[in-house]
Amino acid sequence: MTCSEFDLIRHFFAGQCIQRVDVPLGIGDDAALLAPPPGRLLAVSVDTLIAGVHFPLDTAARAVGYKSLAVNLSDLAAMGAEPAWVTLALSLPEPDEAWLTGFAQGFFDLASTHSVQLVGGDTTRGPLSITVQVTGFVSQEQALLRNGAQPGDGVFLTGTVGDAGLGLRLYQQPSDASDASNDATMHLVHRLEFPTPRVAAGLALRGCASSAIDVSDGLAADLGHVLTASGVGADIHVDQLPLSSAYRLLASKNDWQTAVSTGDDYELCFTLPAGQETAVLAGLDCTCTRIGEISADSGLRWRDADGQQLALDNTGFDHFTFGKPQ
Amino acid sequence: MTCSEFDLIRHFFAGQCIQRVDVPLGIGDDAALLAPPPGRLLAVSVDTLIAGVHFPLDTAARAVGYKSLAVNLSDLAAMGAEPAWVTLALSLPEPDEAWLTGFAQGFFDLASTHSVQLVGGDTTRGPLSITVQVTGFVSQEQALLRNGAQPGDGVFLTGTVGDAGLGLRLYQQPSDASDASNDATMHLVHRLEFPTPRVAAGLALRGCASSAIDVSDGLAADLGHVLTASGVGADIHVDQLPLSSAYRLLASKNDWQTAVSTGDDYELCFTLPAGQETAVLAGLDCTCTRIGEISADSGLRWRDADGQQLALDNTGFDHFTFGKPQ
């Protein structure tokens, strides 16, 4: 990449409007200089999105820019951390003004919403790939971990699950359909491309939830991580799973498998000690549903409305390959 | 990538021996939790290396692992920061045990040398690409910036320049040669693959150097950044440029152009106020050479032993493309 092309790219990322007081030196020297708040820990998460692996090659640039930040903010939400700084390593085959404009718009719109400042980055020529690292703040006593779930705790989910997974399937297999199902498909694809990181919910859960994780690999896999880390089990009632009306319209009847084993919803799954439920849920800014309870018996059990155990596949979501990477 | 393959990769990075007390929670939850030292700033740098762009496709895995960390530590050195934490986003076409073993060895050998702990990462299937982010500590008063060079300051370079650039050229155009030149070529290629980040020198320069930068894009380009940021110019004496004996043996006579315009040497270029030279240079752990002086007249001028101006190309180093990226 020539210097002028590099400068072109830099230009697209110079226009952010967030300027934080804890960034004494931003982009432009050998390193950024950042002033961490006294007495708090830094929560750090990094994720890579690769074209053709994590998103279809023809995904709109704005969605790619948005989602590359959203998936990282979701990790901070799952720790109860307040987002602050972000870095962006962007590799792309060639400088493409229209693509960069869209990418930057999606990225900075979400960054502004959460008062996150871009403090560094690297832009290289190569196959389309985005690595984002976010840093947030949380006190040691209030950080939400995976290992604190206790028998008797309730298991909760923000929002709805299965939307992104079903949206991806419909995206890959478009069909002639009615207006109603077109609207529903658009809703599900939007959930896939523009997931809402549950930052405010994560902050509200600090010091309350006994464990938390974000649902990136599917509820079965991610709740499984919590159960393993906590040394407990869980009974989950599939008829209590929060499903969107679009999901209910377009999924096969009683398709619990898609809801529990597809990923990319970026909802929070967390546990609450008995008795705290009403007060905590009243403080959340999004819908939240009780889906089951933690048990001393290890393992993750899916139960129908009659309490009978269902055989669902609990293996994790493997990112689809959308064609040969660029 | 299936879960078992992912676990395989995780296995290679679980074996690090550095466990810092300022890492209350490392790899394994949604985010790492880090405890920054009170009263200091964080210096943060991120760099991506892409196969076929930043290193030849057949580069040994150990060299790739080493260099991916070294180039970032070099940025911290140029800020006078003490390295602490690192994250690694690794994309590779398929899990390859031998390659991962070599990569991890190169990465962790250097991390151990500088007491740097790997605190997070992401491993994805895709074209071979490595994004590393390092964080170090420095006080606001002592950070080395690019914008402090003053007329009358001396300009200095650690180590030697041009080695990596010439080494790359020889790597790409191997030839029958004598034992002496084979040894020299090996030295230059080693400099390309295993550059020494000048961390200790950077720490020694805190509060002394008026500006500093690391030479990643070539002396002409990088010193140019310092001059622009500081609003000054410089006169550099090419006969005072520190050149290795291997470079002198294998470069064309008076080939100053390669020495000043190729990158990847990762030496420090810094400026010192007049009178501080002797004391400061005595405190460095590496060779250091005075190559010129800062002037109030803007522009970067190359001068021969007679003081005559030489016409050298000052444009930056553009990373070579070593073949089609994987």
Side-chain angles (χ1 to χ4, degrees):
Chain A
M1 198 171 294
T2 68
C3 286
S4 61
E5 285 167 341
F6 185 89
D7 288 345
L8 172 71
I9 291 171
R10 178 170 296 204
H11 161 78
F12 283 92
F13 297 104
Q16 67 175 329
C17 49
I18 299 294
Q19 301 289 332
R20 296 175 59 97
V21 295
D22 53 19
V23 181
L25 185 70
I27 297 169
D29 211 299
D30 291 294
L33 293 178
L34 310 173
R40 299 175 81 187
L41 297 181
L42 305 176
V44 170
S45 170
V46 56
D47 274 298
T48 298
L49 298 187
I50 296 178
V53 178
H54 300 91
F55 57 88
L57 295 174
D58 59 352
T59 302
R62 192 167 72 86
V64 177
Y66 175 97
K67 190 164 178 175
S68 66
L69 178 56
V71 301
N72 280 282
L73 292 179
S74 178
D75 280 320
L76 293 190
M79 300 297 286
E82 176 193 339
W85 309 314
V86 64
T87 61
L88 167 65
L90 173 63
S91 157
L92 72 173
E94 56 190 24
D96 174 333
E97 281 202 45
W99 194 91
L100 284 164
T101 301
F103 181 92
Q105 188 189 353
F107 188 92
F108 286 123
D109 279 356
L110 185 60
S112 296
T113 300
H114 294 283
S115 299
V116 171
Q117 183 171 342
L118 181 70
V119 298
D122 192 15
T123 311
T124 53
R125 181 178 49 198
L128 182 58
S129 165
I130 305 104
T131 296
V132 168
Q133 179 161 329
V134 289
T135 301
F137 310 143
V138 66
S139 70
Q140 183 140 25
E141 302 72 31
Q142 294 194 311
L144 304 175
L145 306 184
R146 296 180 178 180
N147 64 1
Q150 298 284 335
D153 288 357
V155 181
F156 298 83
L157 257 181
T158 63
T160 56
V161 283
D163 292 340
L166 184 57
L168 174 62
R169 198 180 300 159
L170 296 168
Y171 184 96
Q172 293 174 311
Q173 301 166 345
S175 64
D176 293 334
S178 66
D179 285 351
S181 67
N182 276 340
D183 287 351
T185 299
M186 282 178 61
H187 172 80
L188 297 177
V189 171
H190 188 81
R191 288 269 295 156
L192 171 70
E193 296 188 332
F194 294 92
T196 302
R198 298 297 187 186
V199 174
L203 294 174
L205 292 172
R206 286 178 300 182
C208 310
S210 51
S211 74
I213 195 167
D214 70 324
V215 180
S216 54
D217 295 339
L219 177 61
D222 290 316
L223 178 53
H225 293 317
V226 168
L227 301 182
T228 301
S230 301
V232 294
D235 296 274
I236 304 297
H237 310 285
V238 293
D239 60 316
Q240 293 170 21
L241 288 173
L243 304 175
S244 68
S245 54
Y247 184 94
R248 290 179 191 276
L249 179 67
L250 296 177
S252 307
K253 185 168 166 58
N254 292 341
D255 177 8
W256 314 117
Q257 187 65 57
T258 298
V260 307
S261 64
T262 61
D264 267 8
D265 283 315
Y266 298 99
E267 297 296 345
L268 294 185
C269 177
F270 59 94
T271 55
L272 280 179
Q276 294 204 13
E277 186 171 333
T278 308
V280 171
L281 267 54
L284 299 186
D285 70 336
C286 56
T287 62
C288 190
T289 308
R290 190 184 206 278
I291 60 170
E293 48 279 328
I294 297 295
S295 147
D297 298 333
S298 65
L300 173 51
R301 292 166 294 277
W302 307 102
R303 298 195 182 278
D304 65 16
D306 299 324
Q308 296 301 307
Q309 209 168 324
L310 294 173
L312 297 180
D313 181 3
N314 286 352
T315 52
F317 171 68
D318 185 17
H319 280 289
F320 294 73
T321 295
F322 301 98
K324 189 170 163 45
Q326 289 182 325
Chain B
M1 199 171 293
T2 67
C3 286
S4 60
E5 286 167 339
F6 186 88
D7 289 345
L8 172 72
I9 291 171
R10 178 171 296 203
H11 161 78
F12 283 92
F13 298 104
Q16 66 175 331
C17 48
I18 299 294
Q19 300 289 333
R20 297 176 58 98
V21 295
D22 53 20
V23 181
L25 185 70
I27 297 169
D29 211 300
D30 291 295
L33 293 178
L34 310 173
R40 300 174 81 186
L41 297 181
L42 305 177
V44 171
S45 170
V46 57
D47 273 298
T48 298
L49 298 186
I50 295 179
V53 179
H54 300 92
F55 56 89
L57 294 175
D58 59 352
T59 302
R62 192 167 73 86
V64 176
Y66 175 97
K67 191 164 177 175
S68 67
L69 178 56
V71 302
N72 281 282
L73 292 179
S74 179
D75 281 319
L76 292 190
M79 300 298 286
E82 175 193 340
W85 309 313
V86 64
T87 60
L88 166 66
L90 173 63
S91 156
L92 72 173
E94 56 191 24
D96 174 334
E97 280 203 45
W99 193 91
L100 284 164
T101 301
F103 181 92
Q105 187 188 353
F107 188 92
F108 286 122
D109 279 356
L110 184 61
S112 296
T113 300
H114 295 283
S115 300
V116 170
Q117 182 172 343
L118 181 70
V119 298
D122 192 14
T123 312
T124 52
R125 182 179 48 196
L128 182 57
S129 165
I130 305 104
T131 295
V132 169
Q133 179 161 329
V134 289
T135 300
F137 310 142
V138 66
S139 70
Q140 183 140 23
E141 303 71 32
Q142 294 194 310
L144 304 175
L145 305 184
R146 297 179 179 181
N147 64 0
Q150 297 285 335
D153 288 357
V155 180
F156 298 84
L157 257 181
T158 62
T160 56
V161 283
D163 292 341
L166 185 56
L168 174 62
R169 198 179 301 159
L170 296 167
Y171 184 96
Q172 292 174 311
Q173 302 166 344
S175 63
D176 293 335
S178 65
D179 285 351
S181 65
N182 276 339
D183 287 352
T185 300
M186 281 179 61
H187 172 81
L188 297 177
V189 172
H190 187 82
R191 289 269 295 157
L192 172 69
E193 295 188 332
F194 293 92
T196 302
R198 298 298 187 185
V199 174
L203 294 175
L205 292 172
R206 286 178 300 181
C208 309
S210 50
S211 74
I213 195 168
D214 70 322
V215 181
S216 54
D217 295 339
L219 177 61
D222 290 317
L223 178 54
H225 293 317
V226 168
L227 301 182
T228 301
S230 300
V232 295
D235 296 273
I236 303 298
H237 311 286
V238 293
D239 60 316
Q240 293 169 22
L241 288 173
L243 304 174
S244 68
S245 54
Y247 184 94
R248 291 180 190 278
L249 179 68
L250 296 177
S252 308
K253 187 168 165 58
N254 293 340
D255 177 8
W256 314 116
Q257 186 65 58
T258 298
V260 307
S261 64
T262 61
D264 266 6
D265 284 316
Y266 298 100
E267 297 295 345
L268 294 184
C269 178
F270 60 94
T271 55
L272 281 178
Q276 293 204 14
E277 187 171 332
T278 308
V280 172
L281 268 55
L284 299 185
D285 70 336
C286 56
T287 63
C288 190
T289 308
R290 190 184 206 279
I291 60 170
E293 48 280 326
I294 297 295
S295 148
D297 298 333
S298 65
L300 173 52
R301 293 166 293 277
W302 307 102
R303 297 196 182 277
D304 66 14
D306 299 324
Q308 297 300 307
Q309 209 168 324
L310 295 173
L312 298 181
D313 182 2
N314 286 353
T315 52
F317 171 68
D318 185 17
H319 281 289
F320 294 73
T321 294
F322 301 99
K324 187 170 165 45
Q326 289 183 324

